[in-house]
Amino acid sequence: MKNIILSGVRPSGRPHIGNYFGAMRQFVEMQNEHKSADKFFMVADMHTLDANKGEAMRQASLDIILDYLAIGIDPKNSTLFIQSAVPAHSELAMIFSYLMTVPYLMRGHLYKDAEAKGKEVLAGTFLYPVLMAADILLYGTTHVPVGIDNKQHVEIARDVVRKFNHEYGEYFVEPKEILIADAQLVPGIDGKKMSKSYGNTIPLFSTREEIQKLVMSIVTDSGSDVPTHVYNIHKLIKTEAELAPLYELHKGKYKALKEALIDDLDAFIKPLRERREKLAKNMKVILKVVEKGNKQANKVALKRIKEIKKLCGLSA
Ligand code: TRP
């Protein structure tokens, strides 16, 4: 059986190194390792209607395409597309919404978190896992590289497969999530999990000045030889063996250690940042990439949604 890899990113703002080391890094690794697999990398704009609107949404979607290209996704090798350009995602989500019950979906962590904050939960947020199952299953995906926060969503997609196949006959295969082994360990500048909502991120394409400012503001615990939060971020880009002599040399000297982290982060980010800047100068090429990707995704999706609708007895 052919491997099919799919993942997506929401166009909700600048990606940070937590997104990169928690998930996106794997997109590139898998692209390069699985030469013969079909690969799809999507901009999940339908999943972001709560956070972005109009021209800002359009711009943010193109920004994700730029991010994908800058980290090394190759449009010759992978299909880069925008979810909303492929109407079959929404159709399939509607079909799936008739398979999954409300009590089942109430166990979804996005719903539970929103509910716990006392928010009036959008129906779209409630159905987020259903749309995501449609994203994944529409292409016959076998492997989904994601960050740890999306593990449950892939589990839900597997439940959708079982439900659908039970009701309509074997059609879908169960997708597997591919997690980075230490993905849960991406800490922010305050030591908590790096997340946009905590305001503790280091943007993936940040300038040296931004890196400097952010690293200098890392919270340090006084009294110990090793500033834990500095070290934990440092560990993302250097091995513990590489770091050991440095942290020994500058024992207890937080400023010197922060300066070393600034240099290492900048050395890591600089080529990505420069590549992105270069790509952004030629938006015509970027738009071509999107156009080609959307077309390719639609071709696959259209064939599959017709088969699915036929199984359901819907008019295709
Ligand atoms: N939920 C993902 C995120 O948190 C985005 C996403 C939407 C996705 N559809 C997907 C990821 C399908 C993998 C597969 O950013």
Side-chain angles (χ1 to χ4, degrees):
M1 196 180 69
K2 189 170 190 159
N3 282 337
I4 300 173
I5 297 166
L6 177 140
S7 198
V9 172
R10 298 174 68 224
S12 61
R14 287 170 87 186
H16 50 73
I17 62 170
N19 302 129
Y20 182 79
F21 288 104
M24 292 169 84
R25 189 183 76 185
Q26 274 203 122
F27 300 179
V28 187
E29 286 165 7
M30 287 185 78
Q31 166 192 261
N32 298 338
E33 279 164 23
H34 299 261
K35 290 272 183 259
S36 65
D38 288 344
K39 289 151 292 235
F40 298 90
F41 297 103
M42 184 185 87
V43 179
D45 58 347
M46 299 285 291
H47 274 112
T48 316
L49 284 162
D50 59 340
N52 238 331
K53 288 179 177 60
E55 203 38 55
M57 175 79 99
R58 214 177 331 273
Q59 194 51 56
S61 294
L62 289 178
D63 276 339
I64 301 291
I65 299 286
L66 275 173
D67 298 341
Y68 276 142
L69 295 170
I71 62 169
I73 302 290
D74 176 2
K76 288 201 190 75
N77 216 307
S78 300
T79 301
L80 287 157
F81 73 101
I82 300 186
Q83 185 186 29
S84 63
V86 185
H89 288 248
S90 308
E91 277 187 276
L92 189 55
M94 195 71 215
I95 292 171
F96 288 164
S97 76
Y98 276 84
L99 290 173
M100 310 317 280
T101 67
V102 169
Y104 173 86
L105 291 173
M106 282 172 81
R107 300 207 294 268
H109 68 81
L110 285 181
Y111 170 75
K112 280 211 301 209
D113 290 354
E115 179 70 7
K117 283 185 191 141
K119 286 190 192 156
E120 281 194 321
V121 185
L122 291 166
T125 304
F126 186 68
L127 288 173
Y128 188 110
V130 175
L131 178 58
M132 184 156 155
D135 300 337
I136 295 168
L137 301 177
L138 185 56
Y139 299 87
T141 305
T142 54
H143 296 83
V144 190
V146 280
I148 188 87
D149 356 355
N150 276 290
K151 185 171 184 273
Q152 188 195 34
H153 291 141
V154 185
E155 285 163 6
I156 294 174
R158 281 199 291 275
D159 282 340
V160 172
V161 169
R162 288 185 209 116
K163 273 267 188 171
F164 186 97
N165 289 355
H166 180 72
E167 304 232 353
Y168 296 105
E170 291 293 317
Y171 181 81
F172 292 110
V173 296
E174 290 185 24
K176 253 210 289 283
E177 67 274 15
I178 306 293
L179 303 172
I180 292 179
D182 53 1
Q184 56 273 66
L185 299 178
V186 182
I189 56 175
D190 56 0
K192 279 198 287 186
K193 168 185 175 309
M194 188 176 286
S195 162
K196 214 178 71 169
S197 57
Y198 295 151
N200 63 357
T201 67
I202 299 175
L204 178 57
F205 300 102
S206 43
T207 61
R208 185 173 173 99
E209 292 67 41
E210 283 177 299
I211 297 169
Q212 224 152 7
K213 206 166 148 227
L214 289 166
V215 170
M216 282 307 169
S217 72
I218 293 177
V219 180
T220 46
D221 36 355
S222 57
S224 79
D225 286 343
V226 175
T228 322
H229 302 338
V230 175
Y231 184 75
N232 286 341
I233 295 176
H234 222 153
K235 247 185 2 192
L236 297 170
I237 37 179
K238 287 230 159 130
T239 64
E240 305 209 24
E242 285 171 320
L243 292 178
L246 181 78
Y247 279 74
E248 181 56 37
L249 179 68
H250 297 301
K251 227 180 193 172
K253 295 188 194 122
Y254 294 176
K255 184 151 180 285
L257 290 167
K258 282 185 170 181
E259 273 160 7
L261 176 59
I262 291 168
D263 284 342
D264 287 337
L265 267 175
D266 191 46
F268 170 77
I269 287 176
K270 193 170 175 229
L272 299 178
R273 182 176 68 218
E274 290 181 348
R275 189 141 157 212
R276 196 181 187 288
E277 278 164 9
K278 206 166 147 204
L279 286 160
K281 286 203 182 104
N282 202 344
M283 284 312 285
K284 264 205 194 130
V285 174
I286 305 299
L287 291 173
K288 278 245 166 68
V289 166
V290 176
E291 200 186 322
K292 183 177 148 237
N294 288 348
K295 226 181 184 164
Q296 174 61 23
N298 261 307
K299 200 173 139 199
V300 179
L302 214 58
K303 178 170 176 282
R304 301 248 318 160
I305 195 72
K306 277 196 179 149
E307 294 169 354
I308 296 161
K309 285 168 81 177
K310 201 166 160 210
L311 286 173
C312 298
L314 298 169
S315 298

